[in-house]
Amino acid sequence: MSAAQQVAENAPVIGNPIPVGAEVYNRIVGFLYQEATLLDTIRLKEWGATLAPDLVYTVPLRQTRPMSQQAQSVIRTVQHYHDNYRSIMGRIMRLTETRSAWAEDPPSRTRRMVSNVQVFATDRPDEFAVVSYLLLTRSRFDFPDMDVISGERNDLLRVDGEGFKLVRREVILDQAVLGTPNLAIFL
């Protein structure tokens, strides 16, 4: 059984939306904002501490299709990322503790804007489905141009003490062809 099949089979049933302004909604938005800050300030080890050990993190490909075929525009059989907790932690270690992360040394300057946050209850009282939009700008070296990456993130967050852990993330990019030389950053 593939990891994608496991995620689909173990996925919680999504229920009612959590109202904007509810305590749990505000805490989840705060978590997403803090996550963006950790990533933008390259505090990758701290970000790694917010990940659940059963994490699945995917970024499938996008194809341009006619209006009648929009349901097939996301290609999950080939992906930019298909990571789990162990592979993400390995990437974090490589980026922070070695000199072999040439794609991000010197590191990109990034800014993540997270918006349009929707939170849903699930059939598991300690897990919430979260949909958010991401707009990421990325500047490299001394180049005058910026990369812009946008997409929709579909997350599953699990309550962990007073905070949350990221259990699952699928990022559906808006671009079929990425305008960036590599995708060595976390979305």
Side-chain angles (χ1 to χ4, degrees):
M1 179 182 306
S2 73
Q5 289 170 319
Q6 287 177 333
V7 168
E9 289 182 11
N10 295 326
V13 175
I14 295 176
N16 294 324
I18 304 293
V20 172
E23 179 187 351
V24 71
Y25 178 92
N26 291 341
R27 288 178 44 223
I28 287 171
V29 169
F31 173 86
L32 296 174
Y33 289 171
Q34 179 63 26
E35 176 190 39
T37 299
L38 292 174
L39 291 169
D40 287 343
T41 56
I42 318 171
R43 292 160 45 198
L44 299 178
K45 289 181 181 180
E46 289 176 65
W47 177 69
T50 70
L51 307 177
D54 55 338
L55 172 72
V56 177
Y57 190 108
T58 62
V59 183
L61 291 184
R62 195 73 188 259
Q63 276 189 336
T64 302
R65 299 273 185 140
M67 183 66 81
S68 62
Q69 298 176 9
Q70 284 304 295
Q72 293 89 31
S73 70
V74 177
I75 310 300
R76 290 182 172 87
T77 54
V78 180
Q79 304 197 9
H80 296 289
Y81 297 163
H82 190 117
D83 287 329
N84 59 25
Y85 179 81
R86 185 173 179 205
S87 62
I88 293 276
M89 295 310 286
R91 288 175 62 193
I92 289 172
M93 185 188 76
R94 197 172 115 258
L95 287 164
T96 59
E97 298 176 17
T98 72
R99 293 179 184 227
S100 66
W102 57 268
E104 278 300 308
D105 190 15
S108 297
R109 289 174 297 279
T110 60
R111 190 71 56 217
R112 289 165 179 81
M113 279 73 60
V114 178
S115 67
N116 296 58
V117 178
Q118 300 172 67
V119 178
F120 299 90
T122 70
D123 60 340
R124 300 173 188 161
D126 64 335
E127 292 184 348
F128 296 90
V130 181
V131 177
S132 64
Y133 291 175
L134 174 70
L135 180 64
L136 185 143
T137 62
R138 178 186 192 199
S139 177
R140 300 273 297 147
F141 305 109
D142 293 326
F143 300 150
D145 300 325
M146 281 192 164
D147 298 338
V148 176
I149 300 170
S150 63
E152 177 181 286
R153 300 188 309 184
N154 296 290
D155 296 342
L156 183 65
L157 299 181
R158 182 179 299 137
V159 175
D160 182 63
E162 295 298 312
F164 298 95
K165 295 277 187 184
L166 179 63
V167 177
R168 186 179 68 223
R169 171 164 288 160
E170 180 182 61
V171 183
I172 306 297
L173 297 174
D174 293 329
Q175 298 147 296
V177 177
L178 295 181
T180 186
N182 65 53
L183 203 52
I185 55 175
F186 298 106
L187 303 171

